[in-house]
Each structure stands twice: as C-alpha cells, then as structure tokens.
Amino acid sequence: MVSNAIPFKYGVKNLKPAISATITSPNGTINGDSIIFKLDGHPVGFTYDAGSGLVSYTPSDALENEAYHTVSIAASDLSGTSINKEWKFYTNTYPDMKDSNISNCTSCHQANRIEGSNGDLESVHIKKLYFNGTHSNNRCDNCHNYISVPSNCSQCHEDPDGTFAYAPHGSTPSIKYQPTNVDATMPLRVTENREMNDCILCHQPGSQVKGYTGYQSTPTRLLNNHDIPELHKANNEPDCTGCHAKSLTHEHARDGRQDANGNPITCNTCHQSTNPAVVQAIKDKNTSCTSCHSRDTVHKDIHSKCATCHSKGSYEDSRSAN
C-alpha cells in the first residue's frame, strides 16, 4: 500500500514542496526498480529508502502557483503484486476572499423568495428538493448525505418546548458540519462550514454531491465544479500574472485592498457594482484584468521598471522561500 501521502492539502505555500509517500506490502519487499513516480503526468527523479519504504522528491523549479498538482506512484513487490496511489495538492500563496455567505452565490443563482421556502438556501434548491412539507417528496437526504449532520425529523419539527415548528435552515447558526462522501484523492478547500449555510462546502471540487438532470428519480449529475478562486481566474493575461494573482478573488483580497468607499473588497463589490465596465464584464463572463482596469501608459511604465529586477520566477522563488 501507499500511505502518508504528502502534501495532501489545499493551499500549499511552498512552491518547491517536499513530496513523499511510504510504500509497503504485506507480501514482502518492494521492488525498488519497479517504482514510477510522476508529478503532473511527468516522471521525476526520486529517492527511495528501502528500509523505511519512503519515496520522496523535491522540485528544483517552482511549481505553478494557484494550481492543482497531481502525484502518482506505482510499484510492485517481489511477488509481482501491483501497488499504486494518486493524489492532488493545490499551491496557493495568496489570501482567499471571503466567499461563504449565500448572498455571494445568489448574485449569479437568483434566490427570489419562493412560497414554501424557508430562506435563500431553500429558495435556490426548492425546484429540485421541494421543501413543500410533503414528506414523500422532500429530498433532504440529497443534501444531508454529503454533510456530517444527518437529516432527521427533530431538526425540522421539535422545538425545545416540545412544540412543532418548521425551521431547519438558519435556526441553529452555531452548528458545525463537515463534508462527507468526498473524493479521497482531492484536497478540500473548505473542510468545515464557515457560516450556517456554506454553499462551497458541498459544491467545491472533491465533493461528490449530485443533482438532478431533467426528471430523473435519482441524482446523477456531479455539482462539484464551483471553486470560487478557480472560476475567477484571469483570461490569458501573462503580462499581469507575472506579478498579480491569477484569480481575481485572490488578487482583490491582497494587502488590505479596499473599494472606492474604503471598505474591504468582497464578491458583492463587483457583482452589485453599477460601473458599466464591471457590469459588462460579468455579463460577458470576462475575467480578464483589462475588462475592468485600463492599461494606460503610466501603468505600463511602472510595471516595466519593476520587471527589470523582479521577474516572475524570482518573485515566486522568493515567496516559496518564506
């Protein structure tokens, strides 16, 4: 078996991380010559300690920042039994913008209050999950199968005084829950809810939450494609990403940056903006830096002067050393 996979993490800050795992077999000794170690699909030179079974590799060049990286290790023991493992980690040296509040999601996923719903979370899901009080139709388990809080009657119906009331979502703001039924090869960005209703916890890469397509009786469509930093990566802007973060959410959360009113920049700074350029960029799903920021002569001059000393490589190397 392959165990102790390192790193298995979202947010690895060292861009030259030590990557390792331990290979063992109940059938006997591992054949060292059979080991194949790959990083992002490419074989790499590694070291192997037969005594401990530790196989390790440290990149000589900085890895791409703000990116998933895939590690795979394959080997066999002297009896010919195959052993293999694959896992991912995510490099990121930038801060994350706060994105847990459901209002950050409803800017794209409209949640107009629907009769029979109990707040924005139910309004977003009500067409597929009902929440209509008819127990045979409510599909509570299709969410609760993916978090550590099970679906049960008392959550909805039993108040402390013994009366019955319909108040499941938002009635227990201090509750904590973790994702379950996850992809064991994928590191999660959010491992515990940050607010009462944390959309990302279920919809992030690595979650196996499923939804309905058409009139299916069971959910089959994976809904784990919503990682906010990944969805907001700038389009084809190598001139900017040499110094700036690729993800707009990372970039706008850096260095205490503020909006025109001196407030921290949040998702709603852009998604509720009346600036025509911003409104059009969101409508077009254009995440390029220049869709909102003009690249004037002064900007070019300032950055060309910086670039004479600070290349992308030297900048990332200095960050990875800290």
Side-chain angles (χ1 to χ4, degrees), residues 29-49:
T29 305
I30 297 294
N31 179 1
D33 293 334
S34 71
I35 300 174
I36 300 174
F37 192 129
K38 292 184 179 181
L39 175 61
D40 294 332
H42 302 290
V44 296
F46 58 88
T47 60
Y48 173 59
D49 179 30

Side-chain angles (χ1 to χ4, degrees), residues 280-307:
Q280 190 63 46
I282 292 173
K283 180 179 179 181
D284 296 339
K285 297 183 179 180
N286 184 351
T287 57
S288 64
C289 302
T290 51
S291 64
C292 296
H293 300 280
S294 61
R295 186 177 294 177
D296 55 30
T297 304
V298 175
H299 189 88
K300 284 185 178 180
D301 288 345
I302 291 173
H303 284 69
S304 63
K305 291 174 184 177
C306 295

Side-chain angles (χ1 to χ4, degrees), residues 149-205:
V149 177
S151 175
N152 57 61
C153 299
S154 62
Q155 287 180 287
C156 296
H157 292 289
E158 187 175 349
D159 281 347
D161 60 1
T163 61
F164 291 97
Y166 179 62
H169 296 124
S171 60
T172 50
S174 62
I175 193 171
K176 291 296 181 182
Y177 51 90
Q178 296 77 38
T180 58
N181 295 338
V182 298
D183 181 347
T185 70
M186 178 76 74
L188 300 179
R189 180 165 70 93
V190 181
T191 58
E192 185 175 79
N193 66 305
R194 299 160 292 180
E195 293 180 331
M196 175 63 199
N197 299 318
D198 195 334
C199 306
I200 301 301
L201 187 133
C202 280
H203 292 283
Q204 65 185 319

